[in-house]
Amino acid sequence: MKNLFIALEGIDGSGKSTQTKLLAQKLANAGHNVYTTFEPTDGMIGAVLRNILKGNIKADHRTIAGLFLADRLDHLLNEETGLVKKMKEGYTVITDRYYFSSYAYHGTHMDMDWVIAANKMCAQILKPDVNLFIDVTPTTAMRRINTNRTSTELFENRESLEAIREKYFEAFTKLKHEESIFITNGDRSEEMVADELWTKVSTLL
Ligand code: ADP
Ligand code: TYD
């Protein structure tokens, strides 16, 4: 059985972590050993990033883009927990965010082509079998973010999410010949989104 590398993408509040869990269950039922993971990671660089996102540390957007790249390389190459190792061990890996997040989030503040070029190494090391984009309107995303939350992070406002969503589509157009991209309407029930994602992933098994 071929193990897959799947990236979940979308603006904050789009339902990525919810769908990561649902997809992991379905893949496990189909007999895969599944490893779920996320970016920013829970490693040392991820910890710095979370402090920046919370507003505890200030940094220029170019610095933030560099840190996300460093975090991603550690995510791939870490000798103990790295995804290259997990793939070699036969796990099907689902990551909640990967390099398209960088293209969209940093592309709003700097030249997207630079971000894509800087991440080329990651694409060479491990390219997703499919990038699953959960498309929600920023209105839906903000409603979900504001439920059960007392504080919001760096990008969690309507204007930013609007711009980031557009940058995602710009990146998908730029990379349509190099990347496998599947877009689903995330403004629907969790089950409907999960079913559509599963229909797509089933074709890769
Ligand atoms: P993300 O990881 O993209 O930020 P989450 O999966 O954490 O998103 O979802 C954000 C919030 O929205 C959570 O409270 C979650 O329960 C809820 N949610 C997720 N998917 C849906 C959906 N399809 N319909 C309604 N609410 C949802
Ligand atoms: P995440 O924890 O996935 O937040 P959420 O569950 O709310 O979507 O991601 C944290 C933030 O990091 C999110 O606002 C997107 C941002 N981000 C970047 O700016 N660049 C990146 O390369 C990645 C992976 C995430």
Side-chain angles (χ1 to χ4, degrees), residues 12 16 40 50 53 68 72 97 101-102 105-106 155-156:
D12 296 59
K16 295 179 308 307
R50 286 186 195 283
L53 292 166
F68 269 108
R72 180 161 304 124
R97 296 194 182 282
S101 287
S102 283
Y105 283 76
H106 312 309
F155 299 108
E156 291 177 345

Side-chain angles (χ1 to χ4, degrees), residues 10-14 16-17 38-40 50 53 64 68-69 72 96-103 105-106 145 149 153-156:
I11 60 176
D12 296 59
S14 56
K16 295 179 308 307
S17 44
F38 50 84
E39 295 184 3
R50 286 186 195 283
L53 292 166
I64 299 175
F68 269 108
L69 174 60
R72 180 161 304 124
D96 180 343
R97 296 194 182 282
Y98 194 47
Y99 44 59
F100 271 103
S101 287
S102 283
Y103 307 160
Y105 283 76
H106 312 309
I145 289 166
R149 285 262 214 107
E153 292 188 342
L154 186 61
F155 299 108
E156 291 177 345

Side-chain angles (χ1 to χ4, degrees), residues 93-193:
V93 173
I94 310 175
T95 183
D96 180 343
R97 296 194 182 282
Y98 194 47
Y99 44 59
F100 271 103
S101 287
S102 283
Y103 307 160
Y105 283 76
H106 312 309
T108 57
H109 295 279
M110 60 195 289
D111 180 14
M112 189 193 291
D113 289 332
W114 184 89
V115 187
I116 293 173
N119 274 276
K120 205 145 241 164
M121 212 180 348
C122 303
Q124 281 161 359
I125 296 167
L126 213 47
K127 186 182 280 200
D129 290 290
V130 65
N131 297 278
L132 301 172
F133 180 68
I134 307 173
D135 188 26
V136 295
T137 59
T139 309
T140 300
M142 284 311 299
R143 186 171 7 93
R144 291 185 193 165
I145 289 166
N146 289 329
T147 311
N148 313 322
R149 285 262 214 107
T150 50
S151 63
T152 50
E153 292 188 342
L154 186 61
F155 299 108
E156 291 177 345
N157 62 79
R158 225 192 108 92
E159 296 71 36
S160 291
L161 294 184
E162 200 82 64
I164 293 159
R165 177 171 177 269
E166 277 174 25
K167 288 289 169 186
Y168 263 116
F169 284 107
E170 195 181 314
F172 294 150
T173 303
K174 271 184 196 288
L175 294 167
K176 64 176 180 225
H177 299 301
E178 282 122 277
E179 296 280 344
S180 165
I181 298 149
F182 182 79
I183 301 170
T184 186
N185 172 6
D187 280 347
R188 302 173 294 165
S189 72
E190 287 177 14
E191 294 72 27
M192 284 176 84
V193 177

Side-chain angles (χ1 to χ4, degrees), residues 57-105:
I57 306 175
K58 277 201 115 176
D60 186 90
H61 278 285
R62 289 163 290 187
T63 310
I64 299 175
L67 284 168
F68 269 108
L69 174 60
D71 188 44
R72 180 161 304 124
L73 286 167
D74 187 53
H75 196 198
L76 292 169
L77 302 172
N78 190 286
E79 279 182 17
E80 278 155 38
T81 56
L83 300 187
V84 169
K85 180 165 180 256
K86 297 286 176 198
M87 291 300 294
K88 278 204 190 106
E89 288 170 351
Y91 285 97
T92 279
V93 173
I94 310 175
T95 183
D96 180 343
R97 296 194 182 282
Y98 194 47
Y99 44 59
F100 271 103
S101 287
S102 283
Y103 307 160
Y105 283 76

